[in-house]
Amino acid sequence: MAEYLQSYAEALQERLEPFPEDEMWDSTDPENDGEDSNSEGYRSESSFEDDFHFPSYEFLGSVRFRKGYSIPSLNYSRMIALSFNLPQVVGHSLVGEEIFTLFLDQPCTSISTDTLISAISAVLGADPLSLTLLSEGVPLEPDQMLGDALNAIAVRQRLDTGPPVLVCERRSHNSPETLLGRPCHVDVNLNYFPGPGIATIQAIPETREFVTRDRFDSWMIYTKLEVLQYQRPSEKRCRRDLLKPRGFFPRAPAWSLPDGCQRWGHGADVWSATFALPNIKRLMDAHAECTADRPIPRYQMIIDPNQFVRHTEEGPVWVPCEFDVDSCGRAQLVGGTRSHQHPDLARQVALPILEASLPLLAKLRRPQLLLDRRRLQAVFKAQRIILPPKVGEDHESEYIGMWHVDGHREDVVAVALYYYHVDSALEGGDMEFCGREPLDVLAIADAGDNTSSFDKASLKKALVDNKIRCRVPICEGTLLVFSNHQLVHRVLRMINKSGSEASRDFVALFILNPASTPLVPSRCVLAKQQMLTRTLRPSGLPPENIQAILALAGILPTEEYAKELRNVLLSEQLKPTGEFVS
């Protein structure tokens, strides 16, 4: 259990995959080689000239390409030992854990490498090209027959881990003034980063192509407020980079993905699957009937985090639940009766949805989450979007969402949505996502004019090629997981075609950023309230009187105050949020 409660920075340092000792950052970093940062040789590297002068560009066709300093590559694979007891074939890890079982309806002499690879790729949901069949460590040819030599057969699976995520720290002596595009300066807000020497910054090395004819090797850093992007310096200036890479982010757990799991867009951290969790609708409908909380038209709040807040100097913040996630992808709700205001619903609704979401959350890379053997904080919400009946042929009842990110004072890094009820009379209502990465940088005059390349045709082509904007259809049973740091999202137009009220009901889990300072959890917020409730209960007071005493003591807000505060918070949250800046 101590491992689950270890600080994020300590856990990350223990688990990250450090670069080899001979990699360049330690050997060329002035922090380590003793070079004086005021020396002439060191100051000569501070010029940006090498990073934007045209001779340092390469050309790919008509596209001007500016390379940054090189970084190590990372390839993951795993070995799966096969045991044959035809028609059954079982795959085991090297420590004996069963990975899959499949059945073949052919004799050994007629099984080819291709046949077995196809069967294994189907059961693993893996690309056949990522699998290599080995016999005694030697790769087999695609059309080679296995015959009777089945004793030393194994499969090497190349794992698709997504873009490499580097763990970096901020250099103490380097300027936050960086480049993006031509000699366009980007002042990085250092408030987004921890202090020097703390290696918790996630950065993705990526080659970005803009609307204009330029392409640059960049660092992509995903934060709550914005996506930071700047040009990775050249080999000559690598040690003048604001960031100092320390290693690769720990490998994400390879939890089995559900059937029908799908990623949307290209480069967008949006994943969906379909789940049948029938008990959730029954439980949530019963609770919705009891509360009947409809603060504004078209909204019914079933579990409202705005009515379960803690007051801080910055203002009211949501109170999260806590879950301990083990290495197998199982979660346990922490806190018992203090796990949430509605602990039974947290256990019977939030917990199974979180467990179903974990394999999809493990796929996120912008940013990546440290999930296994960790305590995770999530804010529990349930809501019903209500559309009134259609009135006449020319008056459709509709709902249209606004572009926003979730969380206000809270650092929500990812969101899991489960739609447990969607009326058949509803049409439309897809979820649309748009990446917050910068689209281009325009320069004029002395900075080098590229505005002539930013025209209607080039912009249209860039928007068509930009797959980070995508839309996901929603139906009953849809489980949707996405990065709240990378993307803004909205509900597209949804209409009610029937003559009666229709609704779309969902549960939301707002996953708080493990790299940020944890919020005070429900088990702590409710501790004093529950202690006094247990003290007063033997007196025979009815529950409503106990609630009144707690409210008078200032321990429990009155229902009127809670709803008044909720309305204030809701008015803030119904405004468009999320910035497209860098």
Side-chain angles (χ1 to χ4, degrees):
M1 184 57 67
E3 185 177 21
Y4 289 72
L5 302 178
Q6 188 180 24
S7 75
Y8 177 82
E10 290 178 356
L12 186 58
Q13 299 315 302
E14 287 186 5
R15 298 192 198 181
L16 67 80
E17 302 194 22
F19 297 128
E21 293 183 359
D22 59 349
E23 287 297 346
M24 56 188 246
W25 290 290
D26 286 332
S27 60
T28 62
D29 190 347
E31 293 178 0
N32 293 331
D33 63 14
E35 184 176 358
D36 184 2
S37 61
N38 292 318
S39 68
E40 184 64 31
Y42 187 72
R43 283 187 285 111
S44 67
E45 293 187 356
S46 65
S47 170
F48 285 121
E49 291 184 2
D50 187 54
D51 280 327
F52 62 77
H53 274 189
F54 294 149
S56 65
Y57 282 83
E58 298 178 4
F59 282 84
L60 299 175
S62 63
V63 176
R64 190 166 30 237
F65 178 40
R66 181 66 184 84
K67 293 186 66 175
Y69 64 83
S70 60
I71 59 173
S73 59
L74 183 65
N75 295 310
Y76 284 127
S77 63
R78 64 172 173 175
M79 296 297 295
I80 304 174
L82 303 182
S83 59
F84 293 81
N85 185 17
L86 294 179
Q88 181 175 281
V89 180
V90 181
H92 293 91
S93 69
L94 296 185
V95 295
E97 179 185 1
E98 183 175 324
I99 298 175
F100 65 81
T101 299
L102 60 87
F103 294 89
L104 300 174
D105 56 1
Q106 298 173 264
C108 300
T109 53
S110 62
I111 299 176
S112 67
T113 299
D114 268 346
T115 302
L116 189 55
I117 287 291
S118 296
I120 294 173
S121 68
V123 74
L124 287 177
D127 184 348
L129 296 178
S130 69
L131 303 175
T132 304
L133 202 61
L134 308 172
S135 177
E136 297 182 345
V138 178
L140 299 177
E141 295 298 327
D143 58 352
Q144 186 171 342
M145 308 304 290
L146 297 184
D148 297 323
L150 302 177
N151 293 328
I153 302 292
V155 173
R156 181 173 62 223
Q157 181 185 8
R158 187 181 70 252
L159 299 177
D160 179 13
T161 58
V165 179
L166 273 64
V167 177
C168 307
E169 65 179 74
R170 176 167 67 87
R171 298 178 192 264
S172 60
H173 60 279
N174 285 355
S175 168
E177 186 180 76
T178 60
L179 289 177
L180 181 63
R182 303 205 181 182
C184 299
H185 293 240
V186 176
D187 286 322
V188 176
N189 188 341
L190 298 183
N191 292 327
Y192 295 156
F193 297 156
I198 304 175
T200 59
I201 303 167
Q202 290 188 42
I204 295 178
E206 193 165 82
T207 301
R208 303 284 297 179
E209 184 171 344
F210 298 115
V211 177
T212 52
R213 296 184 305 113
D214 294 330
R215 180 185 296 179
F216 298 95
D217 280 349
S218 302
W219 282 124
M220 309 298 299
I221 306 159
Y222 293 84
T223 73
K224 171 188 174 182
L225 296 179
E226 62 179 283
V227 177
L228 299 172
Q229 177 180 349
Y230 71 88
Q231 185 175 321
R232 198 161 75 246
S234 62
E235 294 283 357
K236 182 179 178 181
R237 293 190 61 254
C238 65
R239 65 178 179 178
R240 297 298 302 175
D241 193 359
L242 178 63
L243 296 182
K244 182 177 182 179
R246 284 301 191 188
F248 291 103
F249 198 88
R251 188 187 315 187
W255 294 324
S256 298
L257 292 171
D259 294 338
C261 181
Q262 181 176 352
R263 183 179 185 178
W264 299 85
H266 177 72
D269 265 349
V270 182
W271 294 77
S272 74
T274 302
F275 273 92
L277 300 172
N279 288 336
I280 289 180
K281 184 178 186 309
R282 175 181 57 82
L283 292 165
M284 301 312 294
D285 284 352
H287 188 71
E289 187 176 351
C290 291
T291 58
D293 183 15
R294 298 178 65 164
I296 59 176
R298 287 176 167 74
Y299 278 21
Q300 180 173 353
M301 308 308 297
I302 303 172
I303 300 290
D304 189 355
N306 288 330
Q307 293 194 64
F308 188 28
V309 298
R310 187 178 69 88
H311 292 275
T312 68
E313 292 181 357
E314 292 76 23
V317 297
W318 290 336
V319 176
C321 302
E322 291 185 313
F323 303 87
D324 285 343
V325 180
D326 67 18
S327 58
C328 298
R330 293 186 296 264
Q332 180 178 353
L333 184 65
V334 177
T337 58
R338 291 184 284 114
S339 60
H340 191 265
Q341 274 184 321
H342 309 286
D344 291 337
L345 291 178
R347 176 176 53 83
Q348 298 177 77
V349 175
L351 179 59
I353 291 176
L354 178 71
E355 281 197 335
S357 305
L358 284 173
L360 282 67
L361 288 168
K363 288 291 185 180
L364 301 185
R365 294 294 179 271
R366 300 172 188 270
Q368 188 170 343
L369 303 180
L370 197 61
L371 293 171
D372 56 317
R373 294 168 289 143
R374 298 293 298 165
R375 178 162 291 180
L376 194 65
Q377 291 193 328
V379 175
F380 179 23
K381 174 184 176 179
Q383 182 179 332
R384 175 175 290 162
I385 299 176
I386 301 170
L387 276 72
K390 180 179 180 180
V391 182
E393 289 298 323
D394 300 326
H395 298 83
E396 292 179 329
S397 172
E398 67 177 11
Y399 174 87
I400 303 174
M402 296 173 295
W403 287 115
H404 69 284
V405 293
D406 287 307
H408 184 45
R409 298 174 184 87
E410 307 80 12
D411 188 358
V412 176
V413 67
V415 180
L417 301 173
Y418 179 68
Y419 295 86
Y420 62 87
H421 173 71
V422 179
D423 260 311
S424 58
L426 297 177
E427 289 186 3
D430 290 358
M431 288 288 288
E432 186 177 25
F433 297 90
C434 185
R436 294 197 286 164
E437 294 88 347
L439 193 61
D440 209 329
V441 175
L442 301 184
I444 58 175
D446 294 341
D449 192 344
N450 66 343
T451 55
S452 60
S453 301
F454 195 91
D455 54 22
K456 182 178 179 180
S458 61
L459 180 59
K460 182 177 180 180
K461 182 180 184 302
L463 291 175
V464 170
D465 294 342
N466 179 18
K467 302 299 192 301
I468 297 181
R469 184 164 182 167
C470 62
R471 56 192 290 176
V472 182
I474 302 299
C475 61
E476 192 165 307
T478 295
L479 176 65
L480 183 61
V481 170
F482 58 90
S483 167
N484 195 55
H485 279 187
Q486 182 195 16
L487 303 148
V488 292
H489 64 281
R490 65 174 176 176
V491 179
L492 293 176
R493 184 172 183 260
M494 179 168 57
I495 61 174
N496 181 4
K497 302 290 287 186
S498 72
S500 58
E501 192 174 78
S503 71
R504 184 161 88 175
D505 309 352
F506 64 92
V507 171
L509 295 179
F510 301 124
I511 311 300
L512 300 184
N513 189 1
S516 296
T517 303
L519 298 184
V520 178
S522 174
R523 60 185 173 85
C524 298
V525 171
L526 295 177
K528 189 173 183 179
Q529 173 186 328
Q530 289 206 0
M531 180 187 69
L532 291 177
T533 300
R534 286 197 302 269
T535 302
L536 295 171
R537 191 173 293 140
S539 64
L541 290 172
E544 56 271 19
N545 288 2
I546 294 177
Q547 298 291 310
I549 293 172
L550 294 176
L552 288 171
I555 297 170
L556 183 69
T558 64
E559 183 177 352
E560 293 76 14
Y561 174 77
K563 289 190 174 181
E564 182 180 322
L565 178 60
R566 183 271 306 278
N567 294 339
V568 172
L569 297 176
L570 189 58
S571 66
E572 294 176 352
Q573 295 157 4
L574 287 176
K575 298 174 183 176
T577 57
E579 297 184 14
F580 295 86
V581 293
S582 182

